[in-house]
Amino acid sequence: MKNVLFVCTGNSARSIIAESIINNEYPNKFKAFSAGSNPSGKINEDVKSFLEKNKNYDLSNYSSKNFEEFINNEIKMDHVFTVCNNANNEVCPIWPQKEQIIHWDIEDPVSKLQSANNEEKQIIIRNTFNIISSKIKDWVNEK
């Protein structure tokens, strides 16, 4: 079993989505964790609701936390994914073992969710979920 860490800025949407996909769809191969360089302190409520209601994922043990928690942790990370959006000048966290980092340029849905109605929120989150799910599936198939 390999440990993977997904890191973004706020640890409220993208990295939470990725962590939940791995832990629910690939539990025999991987154990996923997530963190942020500037964590919001909570999972985005719209994302949480989508994952729990639409995907039937249990997020009761998930939280928004700082990635520094994992740097000197006894849990060895086999792969570290950054899911930041360079196009929006988002600064990705620096991981000490640079050779472990896999970068996926994924736009943060949180800013779009703030001004969206309920139907739009579902579309935004589903699109982000599908992008991350597809990248994970491609990566897993390469392993």
Side-chain angles (χ1 to χ4, degrees), residues 3-35:
N3 293 318
V4 296
L5 176 64
F6 291 93
V7 183
C8 65
T9 306
N11 190 215
S12 68
R14 294 166 294 185
S15 53
I16 295 289
I17 291 169
E19 176 185 13
S20 66
I21 290 170
I22 288 284
N23 288 336
N24 283 278
E25 306 298 329
Y26 304 97
N28 299 347
K29 293 183 176 187
F30 304 101
K31 171 68 178 148
F33 303 88
S34 70

Side-chain angles (χ1 to χ4, degrees), residues 66-118:
N66 196 297
F67 81 102
E68 290 181 6
E69 189 175 304
F70 293 95
I71 290 179
N72 296 317
N73 196 314
E74 65 274 0
I75 299 172
K76 179 190 171 293
M77 291 301 157
D78 297 291
H79 303 282
V80 177
F81 295 84
T82 55
V83 291
C84 309
N85 184 230
N86 297 337
N88 288 325
N89 295 322
E90 203 174 349
V91 178
C92 286
I94 306 291
W95 188 256
Q97 293 84 26
K98 291 179 180 36
E99 69 281 355
Q100 282 185 300
I101 294 178
I102 299 165
H103 177 70
W104 291 340
D105 194 357
I106 301 171
E107 188 175 0
D108 188 1
V110 173
S111 59
K112 289 180 178 178
L113 292 172
Q114 293 169 352
S115 61
N117 64 38
N118 285 338

Side-chain angles (χ1 to χ4, degrees), residues 16 19 31 43 48 52 58-65:
I16 295 289
E19 176 185 13
K31 171 68 178 148
I43 299 171
K48 184 176 182 181
E52 290 176 338
D58 178 9
L59 272 63
S60 59
N61 292 324
Y62 288 47
S63 64
S64 174
K65 59 209 150 301

